[in-house]
Amino acid sequence: MDSFDTIQILGTLLPSLITGVVAFYFFKLHLKNETHRRNSQLLKAEKKQSLSLRLQAYERIALFLERSNPNQLLVRIKPLSKDKAAYCSLLLKTIEQEFEHNLTQQIYITEATWNIVVSSKNATVQLLHEMATDDGIPESQDLREALLKKGLKSPPPSAIALSALKNEVLQLL
């Protein structure tokens, strides 16, 4: 084989080789872009799903705060007897059950807001204990009335937590 044949073969193969390299480069670039696009779509779908779950958690926590509001609680749960200690226990048990039912929602909200929710629950429990140990309140119906009167004078502990919860939801949207 002489040098002319080699040049002729190279002249024929070189454009094909260059075309192949360019095609490979563009194909690789196209695959990279497609992979990135698919990943972006999956991430967007996951965020949408996650937002839906988080909003449901905020709704459940808001419902807990409303249901543990002493004014709402007293309207829903009436005394079964005249025993104020038994009525207080019933109210506390109801709050604890509501809280335990919504305990898992804490993974969807910020730690600061969850701490406010827990503080709200604890403040409500403390309020019930204080009123139940007041010697000036002899019976369960009197306890109920005293708690309702106190609720009219000052906002319930859950109001602050509900406000924090609403602010956090607004930041999500």
Side-chain angles (χ1 to χ4, degrees), residues 58 112-113 116-117 158-170:
Y58 285 110
T113 301
I116 293 170
V117 169
S158 59
I160 295 168
L162 196 55
S163 178
L165 197 69
K166 287 177 183 179
N167 287 336
E168 192 167 310
V169 169
L170 288 175

Side-chain angles (χ1 to χ4, degrees), residues 55-160:
L55 288 174
Q56 287 174 7
Y58 285 110
E59 290 170 0
R60 289 199 37 200
I61 295 297
L63 183 60
F64 162 72
L65 291 170
E66 286 295 332
R67 291 177 62 88
S68 66
N69 175 338
N71 298 335
Q72 299 294 325
L73 192 62
L74 296 170
V75 170
R76 275 193 351 268
I77 301 173
K78 300 187 179 9
L80 302 174
S81 69
K82 291 185 177 191
D83 184 10
K84 76 174 179 179
Y87 185 51
C88 183
S89 286
L90 179 61
L91 294 173
L92 293 172
K93 182 180 175 185
T94 302
I95 291 171
E96 285 301 323
Q97 285 175 341
E98 290 277 344
F99 183 73
E100 288 173 7
H101 180 70
N102 292 295
L103 196 58
T104 59
Q105 303 309 311
Q106 68 181 299
I107 63 173
Y108 295 107
I109 65 176
T110 64
E111 188 173 347
T113 301
W114 178 253
N115 289 337
I116 293 170
V117 169
V118 171
S119 294
S120 166
K121 179 199 90 112
N122 291 340
T124 302
V125 167
Q126 183 178 359
L127 172 69
L128 291 173
H129 278 298
E130 285 174 7
M131 298 295 282
T133 57
D134 186 344
D135 291 333
I137 303 172
E139 295 180 354
S140 60
Q141 189 59 38
D142 299 322
L143 174 62
R144 188 171 188 232
E145 289 173 13
L147 285 165
L148 285 171
K149 284 179 186 175
K150 187 163 181 98
L152 293 175
K153 291 179 185 174
S154 61
S158 59
I160 295 168

